[in-house]
Amino acid sequence: MNKTTPQNSLMLAPLLGVTDLLVSGLGVWLVFMLVTGAFGLAMRALRSRLMPATHVAASVLLAATLTSCADLLMQTWSLPWQQHIGLYIGLLALQCVVLEHNGFFLSHWRERLRLSGLFGVLMISLGLLRELIGNGTLGAHLNWLAGATQDDWQGFVLGSDGGLRLATLAPGGLILLGLLIAAWRAWPRPTPAN
């Protein structure tokens, strides 16, 4: 079993693809928490009953079922929200299978919650920054999460001419993520005394 980090777990695809708006990052993270929580509980019940040869097939079937159900719930709750992030919800099934293979669901629940929370903070932060820089708005389409059908409220408009369009595209998200990682690594940290 690998260390309980989500390395090699394909989290970069939803992180860059869906965080063009704050509501998208928050929404995918909420669905991620729901699907991975249900997947972890179901696999805990099934793991001891499965033969090793059927473990991967069962986890793929379970993950696909859970993400399909989540996608259908999103369609009934808020169709515009589902249309905006629906492609990435399907990737959560693959995410669950990879996390299961890496031993993520065998770790302590506090460690899983910490790592999932860290992923959520990153999703929400990147969505917030990309929306601010790319659109010049804050909280656009938040009514999608509430299931509202009217699109009367467009968020707080901070710039009349929008923003830097590149920030809302996936390459812009990758550039922004790289800049954030570089800033994090350049931030001075106190060193322990010898």
Side-chain angles (χ1 to χ4, degrees):
M1 175 173 64
N2 296 339
K3 189 180 170 198
T4 60
T5 59
Q7 63 187 9
N8 303 324
S9 61
L10 307 173
M11 288 183 165
L12 192 60
L15 184 65
L16 295 178
V18 103
T19 57
D20 59 333
L21 294 172
L22 171 65
V23 69
S24 301
L26 179 62
V28 168
W29 179 65
L30 291 173
V31 175
F32 170 79
M33 292 296 288
L34 177 72
V35 168
T36 57
F39 180 84
L41 289 173
M43 281 307 290
R44 181 188 303 159
L46 291 174
R47 201 174 283 120
S48 63
R49 294 176 175 88
L50 292 173
M51 296 181 347
T54 62
H55 187 83
V56 173
S59 63
V60 167
L61 183 63
L62 178 63
T65 302
L66 290 173
T67 54
S68 296
C69 290
D71 193 44
L72 288 172
L73 285 173
M74 286 175 53
Q75 284 179 21
T76 58
W77 182 258
S78 175
L79 187 60
W81 180 45
Q82 187 276 336
Q83 289 174 337
H84 191 72
I85 64 173
L87 173 70
Y88 295 97
I89 298 304
L91 288 177
L92 292 180
L94 183 59
Q95 183 76 37
C96 288
V97 173
V98 170
L99 287 173
E100 173 69 20
H101 180 71
N102 286 343
F104 178 76
F105 295 105
L106 297 176
S107 64
H108 194 270
W109 68 271
R110 287 186 181 141
E111 181 67 13
R112 288 193 313 264
L113 189 61
R114 184 187 71 80
L115 290 172
S116 298
L118 186 63
F119 178 61
V121 166
L122 192 56
M123 290 282 288
I124 292 168
S125 300
L126 203 58
L128 179 71
L129 284 173
R130 288 178 69 187
E131 182 178 348
L132 281 171
I133 295 169
N135 296 330
T137 60
L138 179 63
H141 307 294
L142 275 178
N143 55 347
W144 288 350
L145 286 179
T149 55
Q150 301 113 329
D151 214 11
D152 295 337
W153 192 67
Q154 292 298 319
F156 298 105
V157 178
L158 304 174
S160 60
D161 61 345
L164 181 63
R165 175 82 173 123
L166 176 65
T168 62
L169 303 174
L174 185 62
I175 292 168
L176 182 61
L177 182 62
L179 290 172
L180 290 174
I181 290 171
W184 174 259
R185 294 181 63 84
W187 191 271
R189 293 185 212 0
T191 58
N194 289 340

